[in-house]
Amino acid sequence: MLRAMSRNREVARVLSELALLTELDEGSPQAFRVRAYDNAARAVDGLATDVASMSPSQLVATKGIGKSTAQKIGEYLESGKIAKLERLRELFPPAYVELTRIPGLGPKRVAVLHEELGIGSVDDLRQAIEQQALRALAGFGPKSEEKLIQAIERLGLSGKERRTPIEHALPVAREIVAALASVEGVESIEYAGSLRRFRETIGDIDILVAARDRNAVMAEFLDLAVVKDVLGKGETKSSVVTHGGMQVDLRVVDPDQYGAALLYFTGSKAHNIRLRQLALERDWTLNEYALSEVESGKVVASKTEETIYEALGVSFIEPPLREDTGEIEAAQDGTLPDLVHLDDIKGDLHVHTDLSGDGHATLEDMLDALAARGMAYVGITDHGEDLRINGASRGQMLAQRKRIAGLANRYEGMRILHGCELNIDREGNLDYDHDFLMGFDWCVASVHSLFDLDRDAQTRRVLAAIRHPAVNAIGHLTGRQIGSRPDIELDIDQVIEAAVATGTALEVNCHLRRLDVAPEVARRATEAGAYLVISTDAHTVRELDQMRWGVLNAERGWVDKSRVVNTWPADQFLNWVGAKRTMYAGTTAEPDLEGL
Ligand code: DGT
Ligand code: CA
Ligand code: CA
Ligand code: ZN
């Protein structure tokens, strides 16, 4: 059978890898070639046609793809390899790449550590620090040793098993699933394990296939371009390692057993153990093949997860909840939250256009794409003036407001709020001035720098932003970047309390690198009565599709749909937005909200 799917995702992933490794090689993300590969990755990912069907001249004619990159794409499509990439992979294995993500390091400093001390992994670095070996190097001292060890610990990077941030694991899994879905005889396919539960870091990728003929899909799997080494191959299970250093397990089961296998391999282990106890109470057993009677072996349920949960007398539990943190009890009592799903989302309230220095699409392109996604209301939130490289001046903001007003008729049925992403400075001050801020329909305020301030200082500045009448939401609250930047230290309880008191939402940032607030914070906040807003923070049209990841992150936080303001109908949402502003109507100076 011919492969119906396009190879765009695969080629985009290869170009991104090439950009990353070139950055390590050349020492700067601004290097010309790094930017060229990055732009090309974005361009290929956004293509409407299959990159594999395009001629070299069509490739070069595509915006974002230069001549030399087009050649590399051609090389890859023809041979499955890019010579330069192969060379860079040798130079920079995955353990080395991980080192460069540690805050305070970076390509150049890691190169020094590698040359001077032979450090090639986080564990090497840890040992060297314990032996106080770094301080002998120029540019390093006892202080940097201490900072690095703290970062390693706060990010959970040391130890035997390297875990991969979901940002890097998920695209690989989706690419493999897409590639194998069209193989002859495949009836169902999904990724399972921690990835399906949407954990923020992934040990290994588990892929499950239902097929009557196992050989075809197994052969195709071992032959994928993403595979570096085969660790083991068998009739029902094979394991490989990708070029990015991730292990992938593929299991092929009989279609009749797919539900039982999916349940088992989705886990978590703790959740499985609890389910098995429920089965035993009924004199049944539950394993990866079926739920069945102990005595007779007769199968009670096995084809779908739904039938197994039903037979066990509990309601269906969505994968992100399966951690044995109360979901079994809640499913027995019928008290599971009414989880939010992608089709509940009616608005995206954190969207950048090319008015932000790091935005890539025009206002009209973003709005077209939002309208195509059926949004009932949106907030355009380019950076405020304080982010010097990226932000917009007052004049630019006012011009944008006018432009939006002029577009209102073009997007009937979609209310466009003119907003701003404000920067919270060291003291908690925001961009512009009070009156100018009150002129926006909607504001998100976020921390973009000074991640090292102490807990009191961080908490104080975030509270100040929450208490500002123009601020409707706090963007990416903790500033974390999974696997590479720890969350800022904050008194989360105080933040939640102030959010509740002022009617300010906490954002669930959908970017896979952020997923901020984290599920635990989302759970605590909503239990305490706070509202959330799930926002893409898109800087490209493509990133608008990230909404689904924020939704899954909120599910993992047990968030009830009613707590998510952008699931509300437009009227309810707009009333809520207006409420905080009118609370302070007529005030000319910053009101003192300390007492709230
Ligand atoms: P990871 O890979 O460390 O991010 O986490 P998981 O949850 O993907 O774990 P993994 O890959 O070791 O196994 C996949 C699933 O298989 C796991 O979530 C539950 C199931 N499983 C694995 N080992 C056991 C076990 O010893 N007992 C039970 N009940 N289930 C297991
Ligand atoms: Ca796994
Ligand atoms: Ca596994
Ligand atoms: Zn933003």
Side-chain angles (χ1 to χ4, degrees):
M1 190 177 126
L2 271 175
R3 267 210 217 146
M5 47 100 45
S6 88
R7 296 183 65 189
N8 297 356
R9 200 181 280 284
E10 173 193 345
V11 171
R13 192 250 315 145
V14 168
L15 290 170
S16 297
E17 186 187 352
L18 187 58
L20 173 80
L21 298 185
T22 304
E23 180 183 335
L24 301 191
D25 199 31
E26 306 203 359
S28 160
Q30 300 310 324
F32 168 73
R33 272 178 288 260
V34 178
R35 305 263 302 252
Y37 300 143
D38 255 336
N39 289 337
R42 234 192 319 271
V44 170
D45 202 28
L47 283 174
T49 46
D50 186 351
V51 64
S53 70
M54 293 170 73
S55 70
S57 57
Q58 283 174 316
L59 278 175
V60 180
T62 305
K63 190 172 170 248
I65 303 179
K67 199 168 161 207
S68 137
T69 310
Q71 270 171 8
K72 296 222 161 22
I73 295 173
E75 184 185 347
Y76 181 77
L77 289 171
E78 235 165 70
S79 68
K81 285 187 175 149
I82 300 174
K84 174 175 178 176
L85 182 59
E86 298 292 309
R87 183 177 63 76
L88 292 173
R89 280 171 173 168
E90 292 281 320
L91 276 174
F92 307 112
Y96 185 102
V97 175
E98 188 179 29
L99 273 175
T100 63
R101 297 200 194 109
I102 297 175
L105 288 181
K108 284 191 176 139
R109 283 160 71 84
V110 172
V112 171
L113 294 177
H114 186 67
E115 271 159 37
E116 301 291 329
L117 301 173
I119 291 172
S121 69
V122 175
D123 283 336
D124 291 350
L125 176 62
R126 199 196 171 88
Q127 271 180 24
I129 293 174
E130 276 160 9
Q131 293 157 9
Q132 305 191 335
L134 263 60
R135 56 187 68 181
L137 303 179
F140 293 87
K143 193 134 194 207
S144 41
E145 286 179 351
E146 195 191 318
K147 277 203 154 171
L148 287 171
I149 207 82
Q150 271 174 6
I152 290 171
E153 251 146 45
R154 289 204 62 200
L155 292 168
L157 294 181
S158 74
K160 284 164 265 119
E161 284 168 48
R162 198 159 44 82
R163 298 188 64 81
T164 303
I166 190 167
E167 178 193 9
H168 303 296
L170 188 59
V172 175
R174 299 214 317 148
E175 183 184 322
I176 296 175
V177 166
L180 299 183
S182 52
V183 172
E184 178 115 44
V186 171
E187 295 189 11
S188 314
I189 179 164
E190 261 165 290
Y191 54 77
S194 51
L195 203 49
R196 185 161 178 250
R197 303 198 310 279
F198 212 66
R199 270 192 72 170
E200 65 195 43
T201 62
I202 305 303
D204 69 0
I205 296 174
D206 302 281
I207 293 178
L208 188 68
V209 170
R212 302 217 181 262
D213 169 19
R214 301 185 156 137
N215 297 336
V217 66
M218 273 299 176
E220 186 80 23
F221 174 61
L222 299 175
D223 204 34
L224 290 173
V226 74
V227 170
K228 177 165 186 270
D229 294 313
V230 176
L231 298 176
K233 51 181 168 182
E235 220 182 291
T236 58
K237 180 188 169 185
S238 295
S239 297
V240 302
V241 175
T242 68
H243 293 292
M246 286 216 75
Q247 183 175 328
V248 185
D249 296 341
L250 179 79
R251 293 182 182 81
V252 190
V253 304
D254 189 276
D256 289 336
Q257 299 172 334
Y258 187 68
L262 186 59
L263 187 62
Y264 183 88
F265 291 112
T266 297
S268 66
K269 194 169 162 183
H271 181 84
N272 288 353
I273 290 171
R274 293 292 309 275
L275 288 184
R276 207 174 308 134
Q277 284 166 352
L278 290 185
L280 285 174
E281 285 165 18
R282 291 164 197 243
D283 289 326
W284 294 339
T285 62
L286 177 62
N287 57 28
E288 59 197 277
Y289 306 108
L291 176 67
S292 45
E293 292 179 358
V294 173
E295 298 266 305
S296 64
K298 189 172 158 256
V299 171
V300 177
S302 68
K303 278 186 197 159
T304 66
E305 290 185 327
E306 284 81 357
T307 55
I308 296 172
Y309 279 110
E310 198 186 341
L312 291 173
V314 298
S315 42
F316 180 75
I317 300 173
E318 308 241 13
L321 298 185
R322 299 182 193 170
E323 298 289 352
D324 191 22
T325 59
E327 74 280 9
I328 306 265
E329 291 79 359
Q332 283 174 318
D333 302 347
T335 56
L336 283 170
D338 184 10
L339 294 179
V340 51
H341 295 116
L342 187 58
D343 55 10
D344 297 318
I345 299 294
K346 297 190 175 61
D348 192 344
L349 284 306
H350 187 162
V351 174
H352 293 270
T353 74
D354 55 10
L355 183 53
S356 297
D358 51 359
H360 290 271
T362 64
L363 174 66
E364 286 80 359
D365 284 352
M366 277 314 221
L367 290 174
D368 284 347
L370 286 158
R373 284 161 180 74
M375 295 293 116
Y377 44 91
V378 301
I380 297 298
T381 54
D382 284 305
H383 289 295
E385 64 180 357
D386 284 359
L387 278 195
R388 297 219 184 288
I389 330 163
N390 290 333
S393 68
R394 289 168 192 247
Q396 287 173 314
M397 277 297 182
L398 292 175
Q400 187 185 54
R401 189 171 302 166
K402 231 183 192 168
R403 202 161 140 202
I404 286 175
L407 287 167
N409 289 334
R410 179 161 151 186
Y411 302 102
E412 246 179 277
M414 184 171 84
R415 174 70 188 269
I416 309 165
L417 304 186
H418 184 236
C420 183
E421 180 178 13
L422 303 165
N423 179 54
I424 304 174
D425 80 3
R426 184 189 287 272
E427 274 77 42
N429 294 315
L430 307 168
D431 314 59
Y432 313 112
D433 63 46
H434 184 80
D435 287 344
F436 196 81
L437 290 181
M438 293 303 274
F440 286 105
D441 302 322
W442 163 268
C443 289
V444 179
S446 325
V447 161
H448 293 102
S449 59
L450 302 168
F451 302 106
D452 291 337
L453 297 183
D454 66 34
R455 184 172 146 110
D456 281 350
Q458 297 287 23
T459 305
R460 230 178 300 123
R461 66 172 174 155
V462 170
L463 289 181
I466 289 177
R467 289 175 179 139
H468 195 288
V471 172
N472 302 104
I474 301 297
H476 43 74
L477 176 67
T478 73
R480 74 172 185 163
Q481 298 201 343
I482 296 166
S484 61
R485 189 203 285 155
D487 46 351
I488 60 173
E489 299 197 44
L490 271 181
D491 184 336
I492 293 284
D493 289 319
Q494 273 201 58
V495 168
I496 291 172
E497 197 180 311
V500 174
T502 57
T504 309
L506 299 182
E507 176 180 274
V508 174
N509 190 289
C510 296
H511 200 294
L512 285 173
R513 189 177 304 163
R514 293 187 181 273
L515 298 175
D516 188 8
V517 296
E520 310 78 62
V521 177
R523 192 168 177 176
R524 258 162 84 185
T526 49
E527 277 172 7
Y531 290 122
L532 302 180
V533 57
I534 304 178
S535 306
T536 62
D537 196 1
H539 289 69
T540 63
V541 165
R542 189 70 182 209
E543 283 177 357
L544 293 170
D545 292 331
Q546 293 176 166
M547 187 62 85
R548 69 189 65 185
W549 311 132
V551 167
L552 282 170
N553 195 56
E555 285 191 31
R556 209 171 145 77
W558 285 61
V559 173
D560 195 275
K561 174 160 86 189
S562 62
R563 309 310 306 173
V564 180
V565 297
N566 55 325
T567 66
W568 296 348
D571 286 352
Q572 186 185 354
F573 174 78
L574 294 169
N575 281 339
W576 170 78
V577 174
K580 185 169 178 185
R581 278 176 167 64
T582 41
M583 250 208 287
Y584 311 102
T587 50
T588 50
E590 309 260 338
D592 175 20
L593 306 177
E594 289 286 340
L596 273 176

